[in-house]
Amino acid sequence: MGCACNQRGKIQYEVAMDAGRGRVAFTSGSKPTATTVAQRYAGSAVRVKGTGEIIHHTETYEVTQSAKGPVLFVSSDLSAAKAEAATRETGYVRERETGEIVHTHPEVLGRVDAMQKKTAAKAGAKAKG
């Protein structure tokens, strides 16, 4: 029987070295299998093939585009995670285990502040009208 790895619509998971940035060490259609294999490789991450979205890693910090968004970068070093967030201008660094935001890029804070002011202005206009 032939290989089924090219089935359309089937999600493939890759175990990638260097926190998901390095070479692919293993590919599987099973998320639990990929996660188990990743534990054998220090500093590796499991990502969705094709999208690059990191879904499992052993590192401490995650860089995300939004507070609860998908993981874009992982690191065990907080300063490296902050630097990557600044490079990507995405803004959020959170702890993996707690999900607590430990750093927010200043540009993101500016966008959030502008949105809050806009919302407050709309609420004030409705209260007057």
Side-chain angles (χ1 to χ4, degrees):
M1 181 172 227
C3 176
C5 59
N6 288 330
Q7 291 178 346
R8 289 183 176 242
K10 179 129 171 99
I11 296 175
Q12 292 281 302
Y13 301 97
E14 298 175 326
V15 176
M17 307 306 289
D18 193 22
R21 295 182 312 261
R23 72 172 180 83
V24 175
F26 182 77
T27 302
S28 175
S30 168
K31 183 178 174 182
T33 300
T35 302
T36 301
V37 170
Q39 293 171 354
R40 298 179 191 155
Y41 295 95
S44 66
V46 177
R47 64 185 185 199
V48 177
K49 186 175 183 176
T51 66
E53 178 187 344
I54 296 172
I55 58 169
H56 174 78
H57 61 85
T58 57
E59 303 296 341
T60 305
Y61 300 103
E62 302 172 330
V63 176
T64 62
Q65 190 166 4
S66 61
K68 296 193 184 283
V71 178
L72 304 173
F73 176 80
V74 294
S75 178
S76 58
D77 180 28
L78 180 58
S79 60
K82 287 180 179 180
E84 184 67 22
T87 301
R88 292 176 181 255
E89 296 180 357
T90 56
Y92 295 95
V93 176
R94 67 183 180 207
E95 284 190 337
R96 178 178 63 93
E97 289 189 17
T98 64
E100 179 184 346
I101 303 295
V102 294
H103 174 74
T104 305
H105 190 272
E107 188 174 309
V108 171
L109 288 175
R111 288 193 302 253
V112 169
D113 189 41
M115 286 189 308
Q116 288 174 343
K117 287 179 182 177
K118 194 174 188 180
T119 304
K122 283 182 181 179
K126 283 185 179 181
K128 289 180 182 178

